[in-house]
Amino acid sequence: MRTLTVLGATGSVGASTLDLVRRNRDQWRVVALTANCNVEELAALAREFGAAIAVVADESCLPALREALSGTGIETAGGAEALVDAASREADVTVAAIVGCAGLAPTMAAIEQGRTVALANKEALVSAGEVMTAAVAKHGAILLPVDSEHNAIFQCLAGNRIEDVRRITLTASGGPLRTWSQARLDAATPAEAVAHPNWDMGAKISVDSATMMNKGLEFIEAHHLFAVGLEKIGIVVHPQSVIHSMVEYRDGSTLAQLGPSDMRVPIASCLAWPGRMDTPMDPLDLAAIGSLTFEAPDEVRFPATRLAREAAQAGGAAPAVLNAANEIAVAAFLAGKIAFTRIAVTVERTLDRSLPSAPQTLDDVLAVDAEARAWAGALLETT
Ligand code: NDP
């Protein structure tokens, strides 16, 4: 029996994680489940899995959670500090699946306790960068990548030496708007942008897929997870999402990981690591898929990967600013306030400001994040 905490239990990755746990109930005991304010779903999950504690990040939602769980013996808590406390509790595996930089402090709390963290929350690593990787090293934590691309790379690197890697190639589906003209992209609606052809995901990452910022964030994420140098990380568009990423070695061999477009595959790889576990998906049927195609990214229609690459090259505060501006712009787009193509423009203009100095601590990262959110918000108000 192993213990598990899921930060962001009510989201898409949270649901996929708990689906695997549901199928293996005798192997897991659930410690903490968290949400922002989705009390109904959180309470239902806490009851079903007999969680020790359920936490809402938004403290105003705590009374409703208390009421929903009264008489169950399940502890309840609310607010940012409660989230950090819950993430600090002993657990064999902590799945970090909160969306956005909001997940950074609890993820760091688990890392500082030296836990095994299955990381889906890419924005946290992009923003904190070396602050997070240094904490992993200092506290002897283990970071297992949940993101399907990084999980693929992690698997392709197993048993090999990082010095032998010639190139890492992240695959990108290209998202639902991949073939759209610039004029059509200007008029893309939130419903069109979240209608991903291959993956069923939360709204924010779905928009990131449509702008290609998801791949930009993953480029930075890969740089922190795998010590190969930025110049050795590339991106190729692969619309079928069958190959989840590849590692090429100096002898010319390229190892790829293939699988169904279902997050339960990489999540299972993390939950069972270093072993393997069953998943309920149909085996990959390559004959039915027929063909796998590849194309170079178009950074004119989709500038986000260029912006992310430049932010990674600049280092320091730039990745945190990129991420914060993107979060603000995506939220404005989803709220119907700005056009789809304004997302990348807002990120670029925010990065054009003179950037704060490189963050050295978690508080520094959170300060940069807050400042960049204010800048991006002001840009959206005034332009
Ligand atoms: P969802 O939007 O589906 O879920 C987000 C989760 O985070 C929910 O539990 C939500 O709670 C919680 N949450 C939202 N805002 C806050 C906040 N301010 N404080 C604390 N908790 C909050 O997201 P996804 O599951 O799609 O994505 C989660 C993370 O995983 C993201 O970083 C994403 O990039 C990454 N990822 C996702 C993949 C996917 O297939 N979905 C694939 C690879 C990576 P509530 O329900 O109450 O709002």
Side-chain angles (χ1 to χ4, degrees):
M1 193 92 161
R2 297 165 74 214
T3 52
L4 176 76
T5 280
V6 185
L7 307 172
T10 50
S12 161
V13 170
S16 294
T17 304
L18 291 169
D19 179 74
L20 293 170
V21 174
R22 191 175 284 121
R23 293 164 195 276
N24 298 279
R25 283 298 293 271
D26 53 331
Q27 290 167 31
W28 294 97
R29 187 163 60 76
V30 172
V31 180
L33 296 179
T34 82
N36 188 33
C37 189
N38 186 348
V39 165
E40 203 180 321
E41 181 65 13
L42 180 63
L45 292 170
R47 280 175 189 264
E48 178 186 354
F49 291 96
I53 181 166
V55 183
V56 276
D58 182 339
E59 208 164 354
S60 70
C61 307
L62 179 57
L65 181 67
R66 273 203 196 111
E67 194 181 322
L69 289 175
S70 73
T72 59
I74 298 169
E75 216 182 307
T76 55
E81 257 181 55
L83 199 59
V84 165
D85 287 348
S88 308
R89 290 197 181 195
E90 176 87 54
D92 294 319
V93 180
T94 301
V95 177
I98 291 173
V99 61
C101 197
L104 175 57
T107 302
M108 285 291 284
I111 289 169
E112 283 165 7
Q113 296 299 319
R115 305 269 184 261
T116 296
V117 176
L119 183 80
N121 182 199
K122 63 190 86 185
E123 299 91 346
L125 179 55
V126 167
S127 300
E130 289 84 10
V131 172
M132 184 180 287
T133 51
V136 168
K138 178 174 174 198
H139 298 283
I142 295 172
L143 217 46
L144 299 174
V146 169
D147 223 343
S148 58
E149 293 76 2
H150 306 78
N151 188 267
I153 295 161
F154 185 74
Q155 295 195 46
C156 293
L157 286 171
N160 288 283
R161 293 187 323 159
I162 199 81
E163 309 82 77
D164 290 335
V165 173
R166 183 187 284 163
R167 187 168 52 151
I168 285 177
T169 304
L170 296 161
T171 53
S173 70
L177 315 181
R178 176 176 60 91
T179 58
W180 288 31
S181 67
Q182 186 69 51
R184 240 182 123 194
L185 286 176
D186 286 335
T189 65
E192 289 166 333
V194 300
H196 199 283
N198 307 334
W199 298 92
D200 182 12
M201 310 181 286
K204 194 265 178 181
I205 185 176
S206 297
V207 175
D208 285 346
S209 275
T211 60
M212 290 286 282
M213 183 56 89
N214 184 45
K215 216 46 56 182
L217 297 175
E218 289 177 2
F219 177 84
I220 301 173
E221 187 184 6
H223 165 59
H224 292 300
L225 289 171
F226 312 113
V228 294
L230 286 170
E231 70 292 351
K232 290 187 177 176
I233 305 173
I235 296 170
V236 70
V237 175
H238 164 47
Q240 296 81 18
S241 300
V242 170
I243 296 179
H244 297 300
S245 279
M246 301 171 248
V247 179
E248 181 182 333
Y249 289 94
R250 65 192 175 114
D251 60 4
S253 295
T254 296
L255 303 191
Q257 186 261 356
L258 288 69
S261 316
D262 189 312
M263 284 305 291
R264 287 175 295 182
V265 176
I267 294 168
S269 152
C270 293
L271 291 182
W273 182 84
R276 296 276 180 183
M277 66 186 276
D278 291 337
T279 58
M281 278 73 69
D282 290 336
L284 203 57
D285 184 346
L286 287 175
I289 293 165
S291 61
L292 301 181
T293 61
F294 305 92
E295 53 198 69
D298 177 349
E299 293 191 337
V300 176
R301 281 178 309 133
F302 301 101
T305 48
R306 171 181 60 78
L307 296 175
R309 194 172 53 248
E310 288 169 0
Q313 283 160 352
V321 170
L322 169 106
N323 177 70
N326 183 57
E327 287 196 34
I328 291 294
V330 169
F333 169 69
L334 283 170
K337 291 183 186 155
I338 62 167
F340 179 77
T341 42
R342 280 275 302 280
I343 299 173
V345 171
T346 304
V347 173
E348 183 149 30
R349 289 203 183 142
T350 309
L351 280 164
D352 281 345
R353 307 235 353 190
S354 91
L355 298 179
S357 50
Q360 306 293 330
T361 65
L362 173 59
D363 285 345
D364 293 349
V365 179
L366 295 173
V368 170
D369 177 70
E371 193 171 356
R373 278 167 198 271
W375 290 344
L379 273 173
L380 291 178
E381 295 281 310
T382 52
T383 50

